Amino acid sequence: MGRRLAVPAVLMLLLISLTARLEGADRYVLKVAESERFGPILTDGEGRSLYIYTNDTVGPSGSVSNCTGACTRNWPPLLADGELKAGEGVDAGLLGTIEREDGTTQVTYNGWPLYRFARDRNPGDVRGQRLGGAFFLISPEGTPVEEERQRVVEVDPATLSALMSNGEQIFSSRCAACHGNRGQGLVGPAFAGNSALARTDYVVPMILNGFVEHGMPPWRDVLSDWEIASVATFIRNSWSNEFGPVTEEEVSAMR
Ligand code: HEC
């Protein structure tokens, strides 16, 4: 009996020590991932997207994180625990650290203090991109990622016309009071000729999450993916705007 057990037990131990070693070898602070929408971006060791905050102070005499207190609930700083290890494609020379006001040590890249976004759940999530116009993904070169890859979403003419007519109804009942029935703007900004609408990755999160402090209500619990795709398509393609459709799938991926 004892002998029969001995072999599997030894094998188990071997396996455990092997996996432990493999995991150890993979414990990077920073890695590079290929984002479908944004190209190469920095991630933490587990592949979760990292962000920089444009309101941080970054300069030759050292950087200061201005995301403190409540801000860190949404944007947990990437803390250095042990050796800084750069994965493939990461420029080790750009890695650094700063001390935060609470005494913890935060990882920096090209001087930028790095954060995760609390609502990103899985590797590949980029829900924090451009939030508040202040948080951005960061490239392996150490610069904020501003451009989204040009994507051509194809929808057939029937879907496009359904999006437009549905979007027009939602717009007049839900949005026109603040944005003007001709998109001319009232309490909210004008949509006619508004180039900010060119970016799906800006428009859709804005409609989903709003900007409550500035008077823009969130619609995530009010409108479905299809309805948000419709109203986004409508405002992007009315009053001589020609920014192309937004699909239900795109909204669902950003929700
Ligand atoms: C109660 C008023 C109000 C309503 C209703 C409203 N908005 Fe807004 N919206 C605003 C305000 C105010 C802003 C500006 C927010 C800011 O300054 O960041 C805004 C900003 C936006 C922006 C960003 C525009 C830009 O130039 O940055 C989009 C897109 C938008 N709203 C879409 C919608 C859609 C779609 C609806 C309807 C489903 C809607 N809004 C309903 C008040 C409103």
Side-chain angles (χ1 to χ4, degrees):
M1 194 61 173
R3 265 170 115 188
R4 265 197 227 151
L5 274 176
V7 174
V10 165
L11 268 177
M12 281 291 279
L13 277 178
L14 203 81
L15 269 176
I16 290 169
S17 76
L18 262 178
T19 24
R21 261 196 234 169
L22 284 175
E23 278 170 8
D26 209 25
R27 200 164 292 147
Y28 299 112
V29 175
L30 292 188
K31 296 205 281 198
V32 173
E34 184 68 20
S35 158
E36 223 172 89
R37 290 170 49 206
F38 299 103
I41 55 167
L42 284 192
T43 71
D44 68 8
E46 277 133 43
R48 285 174 303 179
S49 305
L50 293 172
Y51 300 86
I52 61 94
Y53 181 39
T54 50
N55 294 339
D56 279 350
T57 314
V58 176
S61 52
S63 306
V64 179
S65 163
N66 295 318
C67 177
T68 57
C71 176
T72 61
R73 281 204 290 273
N74 281 328
W75 303 97
L78 179 70
L79 298 181
D81 105 50
E83 187 196 354
L84 293 185
K85 209 154 159 259
E88 198 185 323
V90 178
D91 185 342
L94 297 181
L95 272 175
T97 58
I98 53 161
E99 189 175 322
R100 295 182 57 80
E101 72 178 20
D102 63 3
T104 55
T105 304
Q106 182 172 8
V107 180
T108 63
Y109 194 71
N110 198 19
W112 291 101
L114 300 176
Y115 306 86
R116 297 197 194 96
F117 182 49
R119 288 207 293 110
D120 281 349
R121 277 178 217 105
N122 302 307
D125 287 352
V126 288
R127 293 186 167 87
Q129 170 67 354
R130 204 174 277 278
L131 267 200
F135 286 89
F136 291 87
L137 297 160
I138 178 164
S139 74
E141 290 76 39
T143 52
V145 174
E146 307 249 5
E147 292 303 315
E148 179 165 4
R149 282 184 172 166
Q150 199 61 42
R151 287 165 316 136
V152 185
V153 250
E154 304 256 336
V155 303
D156 58 83
T159 309
L160 182 60
S161 90
L163 284 166
M164 285 297 281
S165 62
N166 194 37
E168 181 167 19
Q169 284 173 29
I170 297 167
F171 179 79
S172 34
S173 61
R174 310 270 193 183
C175 325
C178 292
H179 290 283
N181 55 5
R182 284 166 289 109
Q184 78 277 24
L186 288 170
V187 223
F191 289 154
N194 182 342
S195 63
L197 301 186
R199 311 189 61 100
T200 310
D201 67 326
Y202 172 73
V203 173
V204 172
M206 177 60 97
I207 301 173
L208 281 169
N209 305 317
F211 201 139
V212 179
E213 302 91 319
H214 293 185
M216 166 66 184
W219 297 94
R220 64 165 55 243
D221 298 327
V222 181
L223 300 176
S224 68
D225 292 348
W226 164 252
E227 290 170 325
I228 289 177
S230 301
V231 75
T233 298
F234 178 73
I235 61 177
R236 280 159 50 96
N237 298 282
S238 299
W239 318 295
S240 80
N241 289 347
E242 284 180 9
F243 298 122
V246 174
T247 63
E248 190 175 5
E249 292 73 27
E250 286 179 293
V251 177
S252 142
M254 290 183 225
R255 189 184 273 273

